[in-house]
Amino acid sequence: MLLDAIAGWFSHDLAIDLGTANTLVYSRGKGLVCSEPSVVAVTTKGDGRGQRVLAVGHAAKEMLGRTPGSISAIRPIKDGVIADFEITEAMLRYFIQRAHNRRTLARPRIVICVPPCITSVEKRAVRESAMSAGAREVFLIEEPMAAALGAGLDVTAPTGNMVVDIGGGTTDVAVISLSGIVTSRSIRTGGDKMDEAIINYVKRKYNMLIGERTAESVKMTIGTASTETKASTMEIKGRDLVAGIPKVVVTTSDEIREALVEPIHAIVETVHLTLEKTPPELAADIVDRGIMLVGGGSLLRDLDQVLRQETKLPILRSEDPYTAVVHGAGNALDNISLLREVALG
């Protein structure tokens, strides 16, 4: 107990939203200290020491789709879970050191947000990665629970709260009451699937290949979920699949909405299926309190309007959907008794 208190005195405990697209880090006493893409660039040259990390975060994302054969830009988190253990450990170590201004003696307590669909093997992989990266104690908290805390919902009350967390790799829908998740559903559809849908649409319609970063830019600039949105246009650049040379086309918001129909339908369907499994008393609470939208994917223009039309329920969006999960985990970190109540075993 004394050693734990001394360790806590000399280190800032951290909450980490280990996302498919972005990793956010909250430091106890400091707030949000880091928000960077979950991308690691490694050299693949055979130097006898295996892969060597060249860059992490923003610097690594700049390399996506632009690397020579000797360098790979890797996303070590796939669909919300660890796909590459060693690279994830290197990425976590980088973010922990950055949060502590590169002090190597600090061994923080860490809270990591994970999707509800995570398996026991995946839980162990997350814990071991964090411990190897320098944590002294690791707590796992489900993303919808953290999102509810970050959105200011009272998760300890005997009242139903419904949260829809649209991240990069997954969409998690959960009904929460009395510090626990009553019913939940996760699908591997999120911001990345939207980007992929735009890439495929442009390939089919214009015979042009665009990269992930271009697709993400199109989605954020003119992407929409509703037919009622004011039309807008955007110039996109890529490679002509017929002639093999660079090409420029002008696309419209209506075309991008058409491209996004499938992933948006999957999200709406998941909300419906979760509502069907919700106990009637909690369903009555949701009629009054509405559904809370969080996550970067929820920022798609007029997505809340589409969900409102499809569910006939009030749809709310948290003040800062992008950081709601990590701030919720940070709130739990500040209240250790609440953390032990909501953390996974």
Side-chain angles (χ1 to χ4, degrees), residues 158-226:
T159 311
N161 293 294
M162 188 169 191
V163 176
V164 178
D165 177 15
I166 307 172
T170 61
T171 292
D172 303 314
V173 184
V175 177
I176 297 167
S177 179
L178 290 169
S179 304
I181 291 179
V182 179
T183 183
S184 69
R185 197 172 183 90
S186 295
I187 54 167
R188 306 203 173 210
T189 297
D192 288 352
K193 278 286 191 293
M194 294 181 191
D195 297 343
E196 191 179 307
I198 292 170
I199 291 170
N200 292 334
Y201 182 86
V202 171
K203 188 190 292 182
R204 284 196 313 270
K205 176 146 191 179
Y206 295 107
N207 275 325
M208 187 174 85
L209 188 63
I210 60 172
E212 291 176 23
R213 294 183 63 211
T214 300
E216 183 182 28
S217 176
V218 170
K219 177 186 69 181
M220 294 171 70
T221 307
I222 62 170
T224 180
S226 172

Side-chain angles (χ1 to χ4, degrees), residues 33-302:
V33 293
C34 179
S35 173
E36 293 207 36
S38 302
V39 184
V40 181
V42 296
T43 177
T44 54
K45 287 180 179 176
D47 55 3
R49 295 178 296 171
Q51 293 178 324
R52 183 167 59 87
V53 175
L54 297 179
V56 179
H58 290 300
K61 188 174 182 181
E62 288 295 319
M63 300 181 189
L64 273 176
R66 294 173 170 161
T67 57
S70 60
I71 297 172
S72 297
I74 299 169
R75 292 181 180 271
I77 312 294
K78 299 285 186 187
D79 300 326
V81 294
I82 293 176
D84 191 312
F85 185 90
E86 289 183 11
I87 300 298
T88 300
E89 184 184 316
M91 185 174 75
L92 275 171
R93 184 175 288 110
Y94 166 84
F95 288 130
I96 291 169
Q97 289 177 350
R98 183 171 167 189
H100 287 88
N101 298 318
R102 304 200 179 275
R103 288 183 297 163
T104 55
L105 291 176
R107 287 185 65 81
R109 173 188 288 127
I110 294 181
V111 178
I112 298 180
C113 306
V114 294
C117 58
I118 192 169
T119 65
S120 56
V121 173
E122 290 163 345
K123 283 182 199 173
R124 189 162 66 248
V126 174
R127 282 198 173 96
E128 288 177 1
S129 287
M131 295 297 284
S132 299
R136 77 175 190 278
E137 188 178 13
V138 179
F139 291 92
L140 302 184
I141 181 171
E142 289 168 303
E143 286 169 358
M145 180 66 74
L149 288 168
L153 303 179
D154 184 2
V155 300
T156 61
T159 311
N161 293 294
M162 188 169 191
V163 176
V164 178
D165 177 15
I166 307 172
T170 61
T171 292
D172 303 314
V173 184
V175 177
I176 297 167
S177 179
L178 290 169
S179 304
I181 291 179
V182 179
T183 183
S184 69
R185 197 172 183 90
S186 295
I187 54 167
R188 306 203 173 210
T189 297
D192 288 352
K193 278 286 191 293
M194 294 181 191
D195 297 343
E196 191 179 307
I198 292 170
I199 291 170
N200 292 334
Y201 182 86
V202 171
K203 188 190 292 182
R204 284 196 313 270
K205 176 146 191 179
Y206 295 107
N207 275 325
M208 187 174 85
L209 188 63
I210 60 172
E212 291 176 23
R213 294 183 63 211
T214 300
E216 183 182 28
S217 176
V218 170
K219 177 186 69 181
M220 294 171 70
T221 307
I222 62 170
T224 180
S226 172
T227 55
E228 298 171 16
T229 308
K230 185 179 177 182
S232 54
T233 61
M234 181 180 176
E235 194 178 77
I236 54 175
K237 301 165 187 173
R239 191 183 82 231
D240 191 311
L241 287 169
V242 179
I245 58 175
K247 181 178 177 180
V248 181
V249 299
V250 175
T251 188
T252 67
S253 53
D254 285 339
E255 289 175 333
I256 301 307
R257 177 193 54 76
E258 189 181 328
L260 296 175
V261 163
E262 197 172 317
I264 290 170
H265 174 74
I267 292 168
V268 171
E269 184 69 15
T270 304
V271 172
H272 275 302
L273 290 170
T274 308
L275 286 168
E276 286 175 11
K277 298 289 184 183
T278 303
E281 293 295 341
L282 296 182
D285 292 335
I286 294 167
V287 171
D288 295 331
R289 301 167 70 88
I291 298 172
M292 181 64 73
L293 284 183
V294 299
S298 71
L299 292 170
L300 180 69
R301 193 179 291 109
D302 289 334

